Amino acid sequence: MAGRLRALRTQNRLSLEALAAQVGVTKSYLSKVERGLSEPSISTALKLAQALGVEVGRLFSDEVEPELVTVVRAGERTPLGGPEGSRYEGIAAALPGKQMVPFMMYPPLDGPAEAFKSHRGEEFLFVHAGNAELEFPDRTVGLGPGDSVYFNAAVPHRCRSTGGRAAEILVVIHDEPGAADGRVPTLP
């Protein structure tokens, strides 16, 4: 139960204190349950399940829940379209409650660059294949296979492929935890 409880609490974006308050137990007691040092009573287990929005049996099951581990094969990515010349493929697009938005980006070739975009949170790009330029208002960064960039996504940015073919770039967007509307950002 210990690992499962912590995973479900994290998935629901609840702090140890917040879940303890909802269930009516102390933070230290809940911490002991999460670490496997204490077993909850049936009454407490029922309250935990209700607070986490799951059936009580899921707290005690040895089975790994599909939403806790998601595998997406290369041929199973979700086509997401994109601005003219660009293409996006969602990774784990159907997974609810995630705090990161991973996807593959194939930016347009050398032609005119897309408009600058910005959003809350942070962004990570890893160039899997090809070459690209990531442009910010004050500088342009050239990227090749194996290069990566991590930046505050509030800084206006845009990306384009350079060379003879579209670059293949893994992009992961992470929203600021505790944002007022609780939303994870969508694709650029």
Side-chain angles (χ1 to χ4, degrees):
M1 173 185 209
R4 167 134 353 210
L5 179 59
R6 181 173 305 164
L8 288 168
R9 178 178 59 79
T10 303
Q11 183 179 6
N12 281 279
R13 296 182 181 186
L14 291 170
S15 68
L16 203 56
E17 293 167 280
L19 181 57
Q22 282 187 30
V23 175
V25 297
T26 65
K27 177 182 168 185
S28 62
Y29 171 74
L30 189 57
S31 175
K32 287 178 184 177
V33 172
E34 282 194 354
R35 291 181 287 143
L37 301 175
S38 185
E39 287 293 321
S41 67
I42 292 172
S43 171
T44 300
L46 289 168
K47 290 176 186 176
L48 284 167
Q50 182 179 9
L52 296 169
V54 298
E55 294 180 21
V56 72
R58 284 189 55 196
L59 294 176
F60 296 97
S61 172
D62 288 334
E63 241 178 75
V64 175
E65 297 296 325
E67 65 269 12
L68 298 180
V69 176
T70 300
V71 176
V72 178
R73 306 283 179 204
E76 298 171 341
R77 294 181 192 149
T78 306
L80 301 170
E84 187 175 332
S86 293
R87 191 179 83 211
Y88 298 101
E89 294 175 341
I91 301 172
L95 183 65
K98 61 184 171 279
Q99 296 181 22
M100 297 184 296
V101 179
F103 58 95
M104 290 298 294
M105 175 175 66
Y106 306 87
L109 290 169
D110 299 311
E114 311 175 340
F116 281 107
K117 56 191 169 240
S118 63
H119 49 87
R120 277 192 337 217
E122 299 172 331
E123 193 163 330
F124 171 80
L125 280 71
F126 175 85
V127 179
H128 176 69
N131 294 293
E133 286 183 344
L134 181 60
E135 187 178 355
F136 300 98
D138 63 342
R139 68 176 172 211
T140 300
V141 179
L143 301 167
D147 292 344
S148 63
V149 178
Y150 189 103
F151 60 95
N152 182 323
V155 176
H157 56 282
R158 60 186 174 195
C159 189
R160 66 184 182 149
S161 296
T162 57
R165 67 182 188 101
E168 299 174 20
I169 302 174
L170 170 66
V171 181
V172 180
I173 297 173
H174 182 270
D175 200 359
E176 297 172 11
D181 62 6
R183 289 181 36 245
V184 172
T186 56
L187 293 173

